[in-house]
Amino acid sequence: SRGDDIGRLKLHVVTIAQFKDVRLTRKANRGMNHLKTAEMLVPPRLLPQLRADPEGFLDLLRTNNVRIFSSDWLTMMYDMSLYCPGQNKPGFLRGKFLLNMVKTIFTGFSSTDVAEPGAYAGQGRPNVAKKHGMTSITINAVIYIAALARFTLTSYSKWSDMDGDDWNCHDFIKFILDFAHQDAAWTDEVTGYWNKYYPSSHASSFHMLN
């Protein structure tokens, strides 16, 4: 269920995001209350302004003088080494943070590259991928987990489909899926990337295909 999935992600998000500031262990300090989480929750085009004047820009975000919309693609979803200013597609849905969040849901936190070897393994329950016989990952699943991952980075204590007047979970998912349906080549490329990391029916971790 969504509640179970959120619980798994909340437990490990600080480690997966590699936050060093202990204040970020408290959810109330996240979102637009801290530079590190704000950097992940804004679209990449806003990063230069945020980093140039962190306190001033955070205040603009908190007061909705700078608005984030459901249609915005967030930095947490990117591999920023591939991102090109002015272009949305390069690096999108390829970020390490998102990959490790997806792994946490489907094959367990122990399958991520930030878990200590042997940690959280062998707890007696099959991972989600094994339980449901998963052999591939769909773009729908990745976007669903991205929406949950976004929630774990916010300061809100309880899930809501809405975040103010400008962000709606269902619209967030729909905008990306609509784009995917209109650009089959991009969708095939992204799906191919994700399915280099597939949950084997015989193991508990994502494996790289040669």
Side-chain angles (χ1 to χ4, degrees):
S1 70
R2 182 180 65 199
D4 290 338
D5 292 339
I6 289 173
R8 293 186 186 97
L9 297 182
K10 284 173 66 176
L11 183 62
H12 299 296
V13 63
V14 170
T15 302
I16 291 173
Q18 298 182 300
F19 293 141
K20 305 301 182 186
D21 189 339
V22 295
R23 291 176 295 177
L24 288 172
T25 59
R26 294 189 66 243
K27 204 170 186 307
N29 292 329
R30 300 177 198 165
M32 303 310 173
N33 297 319
H34 197 288
L35 176 61
K36 290 302 181 182
T37 44
E39 285 178 334
M40 301 176 75
L41 291 169
V42 300
R45 70 176 186 277
L46 295 181
L47 286 177
Q49 295 165 267
L50 176 60
R51 289 169 175 168
D53 179 17
E55 289 307 315
F57 204 77
L58 285 172
D59 187 60
L60 292 175
L61 289 164
R62 286 191 293 263
T63 56
N64 287 327
N65 285 295
V66 174
R67 298 160 69 185
I68 310 298
F69 297 94
S70 305
S71 56
D72 283 320
W73 293 2
L74 308 180
T75 299
M76 68 164 197
M77 303 169 78
Y78 277 89
D79 177 346
M80 289 303 292
S81 70
L82 301 175
Y83 174 72
C84 297
Q87 301 180 43
N88 284 334
K89 290 188 287 186
F92 184 58
L93 295 184
R94 293 177 180 242
K96 179 181 175 182
F97 170 78
L98 183 57
L99 173 61
N100 280 328
M101 293 296 256
V102 171
K103 286 183 175 183
T104 296
I105 293 297
F106 290 127
T107 56
F109 177 70
S110 62
S111 69
T112 69
D113 63 5
V114 294
E116 295 182 9
Y120 304 97
Q123 295 182 352
R125 291 181 297 176
N127 61 55
V128 172
K130 278 188 175 183
K131 184 177 179 180
H132 296 286
M134 286 180 58
T135 57
S136 63
I137 307 166
T138 66
I139 194 170
N140 303 59
V142 173
I143 298 167
Y144 160 73
I145 294 173
L148 304 188
R150 177 192 178 277
F151 168 71
T152 69
L153 294 170
T154 69
S155 60
Y156 301 117
S157 60
K158 295 182 180 180
W159 169 268
S160 173
D161 291 344
M162 303 289 294
D163 185 349
D165 295 328
D166 298 323
W167 194 90
N168 179 298
C169 174
H170 301 289
D171 289 343
F172 172 76
I173 293 172
K174 183 179 183 297
F175 277 120
I176 301 172
L177 289 180
D178 284 350
F179 177 83
H181 293 151
Q182 294 167 13
D183 192 334
W186 177 82
T187 302
D188 288 345
E189 180 183 346
V190 170
T191 303
Y193 164 80
W194 278 95
N195 281 294
K196 291 190 296 185
Y197 303 89
Y198 75 102
S200 166
S201 60
H202 303 294
S204 61
S205 61
F206 276 63
H207 295 272
M208 278 294 298
L209 292 173
N210 294 323

